[in-house]
């Protein structure tokens, strides 16, 4: 028993009657067993019990886990442990260091310590920490701060994970001398021990000097032991959370006051205690290696997280959910937006293409429209010119005071001006070629027309002839054949010099056609008029002839009367001459009167001769209906004036050809139609009909007049029978004679109302 123990017991005994000392437990890390821990720290407990009255300090040797649990359960008041373990208790349970041990080794005091990584000096392959990769390493224990964790930090700093990158990692526990021995024996390539161990073993003769070397040798001023790592503060004495500050302060003061030669200092392998050092290097080590309180950095369970940061986790999770939802929504919106933008881009592209296409179409339409407008303007101008020309053409054609030749000349000029030509020429087409019959302008071009006749072929349309390219002739010609009764009779042509000639427009061609038509119609009309004049003259002549025949018999008594008188005067005169005493004066007078009678008869005969110039009727086949038509053409003006209609509806279908003198027959038809018109009242109708029967052609003319008005129809045919004031009464008589001269007969009958006159003549053999 030490002196201090003795004093302690004594003190307790002295104090016993008054108060019981309070027990204060100091949890001490028993890393080499409870006995060793008790041996090391019991003196310190006694020292404190001695120095601080009213408390009995008791050492409770505990391993790492037990010590941690005891602190958590509040079963100890103070803790004595290695720096690493202390840092963990500080972090987890609020332990607070109050003093730091001053360690003694090699005769020197150190408040910090480190670790040495040893290898055999003869291992040339092991010079740096890097060389340990793939080698075997022996250390104290995984939780040993100086015996492993310090070296672990250095290895990690050069990129070596001792648990993965080494060939073998063995934890040999205490004593650390075994590790040194294992390295010496070559059992392992290297070993980790707390700083100072090697020096102690050399001093003790357990290790020959220079047989071992220190890897990653660190030189720190004032620190002599071999060192491979950084330095860390020595073991602390710490109070736990529930220990009062006052007691902690008393303990700290007592320990700080511990003399270096105190038994407690010696057994604790130090020289007493000093103020608490900075343990942040230890924190840094643990943080780097993610062990102790920083283990969560490397390995954090959901339970830990939830316990520590439950609310934050929940809030964070909720926030994450919200963010995720928002992100998803934004993503979805973005995708829709992107889709919409893509669609929009597509639509825009389509729209641009469509706009481009429409624009091109519009341009095309615009160009076409401008072309159309231009064409329309030209067409309007051309229409206007053509309308003016047509107007002038009309005015020329209806001008009452112009002769045919004047009209033709003006028409040619009109065309020449309209077509802007030098010459207007009208050629008659003859068997031998073209014969100029009318012109206007420069006649020198007439020859140019001659060449175009062969080129006309059988065309009845417009002719437009451009000069052949490179040819000597530079004339441009437009023309149109003039048709008369469907035959090409003339060529109307306009000739000019070649300029910027446009092809003939439809209206120009129409104008050309109208001009040619007008000329053709004029020529046809002229021909028809000529023909009609000839026909009228013929008709009148025949009329006179046929009338003469009847007049000869009709006027017989008139001729007879002067001749009878002449004969009587002559016979009277003869009788007087035969008397004895002829009355010569009476004879003279009688002969004079006889002469007068003869002369009168001669006059009558002479008058008749004058009336007649032709003789025997012709006998030729002709179309009876054509004769009817010609008669109607002559009579219709008269019928119109009398307001009498001429109806040919009863004419036999197809033509009826008869044999005879068409002029005489027309004379008969004319007599019958004229009488019928004269007999008809205003508004009445005259019907002309025909039929074929037994080799004869029958033609009748009926009217709606008052009828024959006689008992004996034959009287009507007597010469000089007339009921009309100005009538001669010869028409029917002559007509009957003509018909009978043709071997036919003419009769009249009452028709109720009106009268009907019928004649029959022989059909031609062709019928
Ligand atoms: P004119 O016509 O000069 O009198 P015509 O010989 O032609 O001589 O006719 C003789 C007469 O016959 C006419 O005056 C008329 O009394 C009568 N006559 C002729 N045709 C008809 C008729 N269609 N209807 C009634 N009487 C007619």
């Amino acid at each position: 028993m030490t002196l201090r123990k003795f004093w302690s017991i004594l003190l307790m005994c002295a104090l016993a009657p008054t108060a019981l000392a309070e027990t204060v437990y100091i949890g001490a890390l028993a890393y080499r067993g409870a006995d060793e821990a008790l041996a090391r720290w019991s003196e310190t407990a006694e020292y404190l019990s001695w120095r601080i009255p009213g408390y009995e300090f008791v050492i409770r040797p505990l391993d790492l886990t037990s010590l941690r649990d005891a602190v958590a359960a509040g079963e100890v008041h103070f803790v004595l442990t290695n720096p690493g373990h202390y840092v963990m208790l500080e972090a987890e349970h609020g332990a607070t260091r109050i003093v730091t041990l001053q360690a003694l080794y090699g005769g020197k005091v150190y408040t910090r310590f480190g670790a040495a990584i040893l290898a055999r000096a003869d291992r040339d392959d092991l010079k740096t920490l890097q060389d340990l990769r793939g080698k075997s390493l022996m250390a104290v224990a995984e939780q040993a701060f100086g015996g492993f964790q310090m070296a672990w930090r250095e290895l990690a700093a050069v990129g070596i994970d001792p648990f993965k990158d080494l060939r073998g990692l063995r934890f040999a526990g205490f004593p650390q001398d075994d590790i040194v021995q294992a390295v010496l024996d070559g059992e392992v390539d290297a070993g980790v021990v707390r700083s100072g161990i090697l020096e102690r073993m050399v001093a003790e003769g357990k290790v020959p000097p220079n047989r071992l070397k220190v890897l990653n040798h660190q030189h720190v001023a004032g620190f002599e032991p071999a060192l491979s790592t950084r330095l860390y503060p020595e073991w602390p004495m710490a109070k736990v959370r529930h220990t009062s500050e006052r007691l902690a302060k008393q303990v700290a003061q007592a320990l700080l006051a511990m003399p270096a030669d105190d038994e407690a200092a010696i057994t604790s392998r130090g020289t007493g205690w000093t103020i608490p050092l900075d343990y942040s290097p230890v924190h840094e080590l643990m943080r780097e290696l993610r062990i102790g309180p920083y283990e969560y950095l490397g390995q954090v369970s959901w339970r830990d997280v939830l316990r520590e940061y439950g609310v934050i986790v929940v809030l964070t999770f909720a926030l994450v959910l919200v963010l995720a939802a928002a992100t998803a929504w934004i993503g979805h919106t973005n995708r829709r937006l992107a889709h919409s933008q893509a669609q929009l881009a597509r639509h825009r592209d389509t729209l641009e293409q469509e706009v481009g296409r429409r624009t091109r179409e519009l341009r095309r339409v615009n160009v076409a429209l401008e072309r159309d407008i231009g064409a329309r303007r030209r067409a309007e101008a051309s229409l206007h010119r053509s309308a003016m020309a047509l107007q002038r053409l009309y005015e020329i054609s209806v001008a009452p005071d112009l002769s045919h030749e004047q009209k033709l000349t003006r028409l040619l000029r009109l065309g020449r001006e309209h077509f802007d030509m030098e010459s207007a020429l009208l050629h008659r087409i003859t068997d031998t070629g073209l014969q100029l019959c009318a012109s206007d302008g420069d006649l020198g071009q007439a020859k140019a027309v001659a060449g175009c006749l062969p080129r006309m072929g059988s065309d009845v349309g417009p002719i437009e002839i451009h000069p052949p390219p490179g040819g000597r002739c530079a004339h441009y010609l437009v023309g149109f054949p003039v048709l008369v009764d469907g035959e090409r009779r003339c060529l109307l042509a306009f000739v000019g010099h070649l300029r910027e000639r446009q092809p003939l427009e439809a209206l120009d061609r129409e104008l050309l056609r109208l001009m040619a038509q007008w000329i053709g119609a004029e020529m046809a009309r002229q021909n028809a008029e000529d023909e009609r004049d000839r026909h009228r003259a013929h008709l009148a002549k025949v009329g006179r002839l046929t009338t003469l025949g009847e007049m000869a018999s009709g006027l017989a008594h008139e001729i007879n009367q002067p001749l009878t008188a002449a004969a009587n005067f002559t016979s009277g005169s003869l009788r007087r001459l035969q008397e004895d005493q002829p009355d010569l004066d009476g004879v003279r007078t009688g002969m004079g009167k006889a002469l007068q009678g003869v002369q009168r008869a001669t006059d009558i005969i002479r008058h008749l001769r004058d009336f007649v110039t032709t003789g025997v009727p012709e006998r030729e086949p002709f179309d009876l209906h054509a004769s009817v038509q010609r008669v109607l053409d002559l009579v219709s003006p008269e019928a119109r004036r009398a307001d009498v209609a001429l109806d040919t509806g009863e004419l036999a279908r197809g033509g009826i050809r008869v044999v005879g003198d068409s002029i005489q027959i027309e004379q008969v038809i004319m007599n019958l139609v004229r009488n019928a018109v004269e007999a008809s009242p205003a508004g009445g109708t005259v019907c002309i009909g025909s039929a074929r029967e037994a080799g004869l052609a029958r033609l009748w003319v009926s009217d709606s007049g008052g009828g024959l008005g006689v008992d004996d129809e034959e009287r009507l045919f007597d010469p000089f029978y007339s009921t009309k004031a100005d009538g001669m009464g010869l028409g029917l008589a002559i007509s009957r004679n003509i018909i009978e001269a043709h071997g036919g007969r003419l009769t009249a009958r009452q028709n109720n109302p009106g009268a009907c006159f019928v004649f029959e003549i022989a059909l031609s053999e062709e019928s």
Side-chain angles (χ1 to χ4, degrees):
M1 178 179 292
T2 62
L3 185 63
R4 186 154 53 234
K5 198 156 189 174
F6 171 76
W7 278 107
S8 295
I9 293 168
L10 194 66
L11 197 63
M12 280 168 63
C13 290
L15 292 172
T18 54
L20 277 175
E22 188 181 338
T23 305
V24 177
Y25 291 104
I26 300 171
L29 178 63
Y31 59 92
R32 293 180 64 181
D35 291 343
E36 197 275 343
L38 285 171
R40 187 174 179 188
W41 300 114
S42 290
E43 283 299 327
T44 302
E46 281 178 24
Y47 171 80
L48 290 172
S49 301
W50 173 65
R51 289 294 302 266
I52 305 169
Y55 293 97
E56 184 190 5
F57 289 84
V58 177
I59 297 295
R60 288 189 65 182
L62 296 165
D63 61 21
L64 286 166
T65 310
S66 306
L67 182 55
R68 185 177 175 182
D69 293 343
V71 170
E75 291 168 1
V76 293
H77 298 84
F78 293 94
V79 175
L80 270 168
T81 188
N82 69 33
H85 195 221
Y86 158 70
V87 163
M88 202 168 74
L89 295 178
E90 179 187 71
E92 288 181 358
H93 304 293
T96 310
R97 61 194 180 276
I98 54 175
V99 285
T100 297
L101 181 69
Q102 295 181 134
L104 175 72
Y105 39 87
K108 294 214 169 176
V109 177
Y110 300 101
T111 56
R112 294 187 298 171
F113 71 110
I117 303 171
L118 304 174
R120 277 198 1 200
D122 57 358
R123 287 292 296 269
D124 293 338
D125 57 330
L126 293 173
K127 287 177 181 161
T128 65
L129 288 182
Q130 288 285 8
D131 298 334
L132 287 176
R133 190 182 294 275
K135 302 292 190 301
S136 58
L137 180 72
M138 185 177 278
V140 178
E142 194 176 339
Q143 286 80 22
F145 187 63
F148 176 65
Q149 290 173 343
M150 289 184 191
W152 181 7
R153 184 184 186 188
E154 302 309 326
L155 286 170
V158 296
I160 295 174
D161 181 349
F163 297 98
K164 291 180 184 168
D165 300 331
L166 300 180
R167 182 156 54 82
L169 175 63
R170 283 167 56 190
F171 296 109
F174 291 97
Q176 296 183 37
D177 298 12
D178 294 345
I179 295 170
V180 177
Q181 194 58 51
V183 174
L184 270 178
D185 296 344
E187 209 176 306
V188 290
D189 297 317
V192 179
V193 293
R194 183 194 155 101
S195 56
I197 296 291
L198 177 63
E199 289 75 10
R200 176 177 58 75
M201 287 181 75
V202 170
E204 288 170 358
K206 291 179 181 172
V207 176
N210 304 324
R211 284 288 301 279
L212 293 174
K213 61 183 177 187
V214 179
L215 299 179
N216 195 36
H217 198 172
Q218 304 293 309
H219 299 281
V220 179
F223 193 85
E224 289 180 359
L227 183 69
S228 302
T229 67
R230 280 160 271 206
L231 289 173
Y232 299 90
E234 270 286 358
W235 281 41
M237 164 78 91
K239 75 179 260 303
V240 297
R241 192 175 278 138
H242 65 87
T243 305
S244 70
E245 287 295 328
R246 193 178 68 81
L247 179 61
K249 192 174 175 183
Q250 286 178 313
V251 170
Q253 286 172 344
L255 289 176
L256 287 171
M258 182 185 283
D261 55 352
D262 191 280
E263 189 68 22
I266 293 162
T267 54
S268 67
R269 299 200 291 272
T271 58
W273 299 82
T274 184
I275 54 168
L277 296 187
D278 176 14
Y279 281 79
S280 58
V282 186
H283 278 284
E284 283 166 17
L285 176 144
M286 301 232 161
R287 197 179 299 118
E288 278 182 32
L289 299 180
R290 296 184 178 174
I291 56 175
Y294 303 101
E295 197 177 348
Y296 68 90
L297 289 175
Q299 202 174 25
V300 182
S301 71
W302 281 110
R303 189 177 296 171
D304 294 340
V305 173
L306 284 175
R307 189 176 61 238
E308 285 294 322
Y309 307 107
V311 177
I312 295 170
V313 166
V314 168
L315 285 176
T316 307
F317 188 67
L319 191 66
V320 166
L321 272 182
V322 168
L323 281 175
T327 307
W329 181 77
I330 288 168
H332 178 66
T333 309
N334 271 344
R335 278 195 299 280
R336 286 182 56 188
L337 205 65
H339 182 65
S340 299
Q341 279 176 342
Q343 272 190 337
L344 212 63
R346 270 202 305 279
H347 285 155
R348 197 184 54 225
D349 290 349
T350 314
L351 203 67
E352 277 175 6
Q353 284 171 6
E354 185 66 13
V355 166
R357 195 174 64 76
R358 285 286 168 88
T359 308
R360 285 194 295 280
E361 260 178 28
L362 272 176
R363 279 205 195 105
R364 275 201 300 276
V365 169
N366 206 21
V367 168
L369 217 61
E370 280 173 0
R371 220 173 23 233
D372 283 357
I373 289 169
R376 195 191 170 122
R377 284 208 181 113
R378 282 195 299 279
E380 277 174 2
S382 164
L383 193 68
H384 181 69
R385 279 182 62 241
S386 298
M388 296 301 293
L390 283 172
Q391 171 75 17
R392 283 177 63 194
L393 180 63
Y394 173 75
E395 286 167 4
I396 291 167
S397 63
V398 298
D401 49 345
L402 294 179
S403 67
H404 172 71
E405 283 69 25
Q406 285 173 320
K407 285 183 180 179
L408 186 59
T409 308
R410 293 206 180 179
L411 180 138
L412 292 175
R413 181 161 305 153
L414 165 65
R416 193 168 63 78
E417 287 170 5
H418 179 79
F419 294 114
D420 191 20
M421 298 288 192
E422 277 83 39
S423 310
L425 304 156
L426 181 66
H427 285 82
R428 188 178 299 282
I429 301 172
T430 66
D431 294 339
T432 53
L434 293 175
Q435 181 188 337
L436 184 66
C437 54
S439 68
D440 186 66
D442 179 11
L443 261 177
Q445 313 265 1
K447 278 186 187 169
V449 184
C452 78
L453 188 61
R455 296 172 69 174
M456 269 172 65
S458 56
D459 275 353
V460 291
I463 307 154
E464 187 175 3
I465 298 174
H466 289 264
R472 283 192 302 165
C473 174
H475 291 126
Y476 168 70
L477 181 145
V478 291
F480 208 98
V482 175
L483 304 184
V484 180
D485 293 334
E487 278 183 31
R488 291 192 308 184
R489 292 279 172 76
C490 294
L491 173 62
L492 172 66
F494 299 94
V495 186
H497 282 106
L498 182 66
R499 286 181 225 133
E500 285 293 312
R501 300 283 183 188
Q502 297 293 329
L504 278 188
E505 290 182 17
L507 285 167
D508 291 336
R509 282 200 288 271
E510 190 61 17
L511 183 69
L512 204 55
R513 189 178 64 78
L514 282 173
M515 285 179 171
Q517 264 184 6
W518 182 86
I519 294 170
E522 276 292 298
M523 290 175 76
R525 190 179 61 77
Q526 194 73 39
N527 289 347
E529 267 179 15
D530 293 351
E531 180 65 22
R532 190 173 298 173
D533 287 349
R534 277 196 304 279
H535 191 71
R536 275 204 186 117
H538 193 190
L539 211 59
K541 184 177 170 187
V542 170
R544 285 194 300 277
L545 279 173
T546 50
T547 303
L548 173 67
E550 295 314 307
M551 281 179 75
S553 63
L555 295 176
H557 68 282
E558 285 198 35
I559 299 168
N560 196 37
Q561 206 175 7
L563 286 178
T564 304
N568 288 341
F569 282 119
T570 306
S571 63
S573 295
L574 274 177
R575 208 171 43 245
R576 281 182 186 177
L577 284 175
Q578 285 170 356
E579 288 175 1
D580 296 335
Q581 293 236 320
D583 181 3
L584 289 177
D585 288 339
V587 171
R588 203 176 289 120
T589 306
M591 288 305 287
K593 288 196 177 177
L595 185 62
Q596 280 179 351
V598 171
Q599 278 176 337
R600 171 145 172 79
T602 305
D603 285 345
I604 291 171
I605 290 167
R606 197 183 65 242
H607 282 141
L608 283 174
R609 187 176 290 136
D610 289 345
F611 191 70
V612 177
T613 58
T614 186
V616 190
E618 292 179 20
R619 296 189 70 81
E620 282 179 352
F622 66 94
D623 184 353
L624 185 59
H625 288 176
S627 295
V628 170
Q629 193 55 50
R630 277 194 288 274
V631 169
L632 294 184
D633 286 348
L634 293 170
V635 176
S636 53
E638 189 182 324
R640 254 196 313 278
R641 277 196 299 276
D643 192 20
V644 173
L646 298 173
D647 182 4
T648 56
E650 292 180 5
L651 285 175
R653 284 175 176 269
I656 295 183
R657 293 188 72 78
V658 292
V659 178
D661 189 325
S662 63
I663 302 299
Q664 288 185 359
I665 297 298
E666 282 175 26
Q667 182 69 35
V668 173
I669 298 169
M670 183 178 281
N671 278 338
L672 297 181
V673 173
R674 254 196 195 134
N675 281 343
V677 169
E678 284 169 359
S680 293
T685 303
V686 171
C687 290
I688 302 101
S690 65
R692 281 187 217 92
E693 203 173 86
L696 292 174
R698 178 183 298 141
L699 189 133
W700 61 90
V701 177
S702 62
D703 60 68
S704 52
L708 297 175
V710 287
D711 296 335
D712 183 7
E713 296 88 16
E714 289 303 309
R715 271 200 74 193
L716 305 176
F717 295 95
D718 289 345
F720 305 110
Y721 174 82
S722 176
T723 55
K724 299 168 192 170
D726 55 346
M728 284 182 65
L730 287 173
L732 286 178
I734 294 168
S735 296
R736 173 169 272 182
N737 274 357
I738 290 172
I739 294 300
E740 286 174 354
H742 279 79
R745 62 195 190 96
L746 170 64
T747 55
R749 57 183 163 82
Q750 190 63 35
N751 204 25
N752 283 336
C756 181
F757 287 81
V758 186
F759 71 80
E760 292 168 346
I761 56 169
L763 282 171
S764 92
E765 286 175 0
E766 320 159 2
S767 294

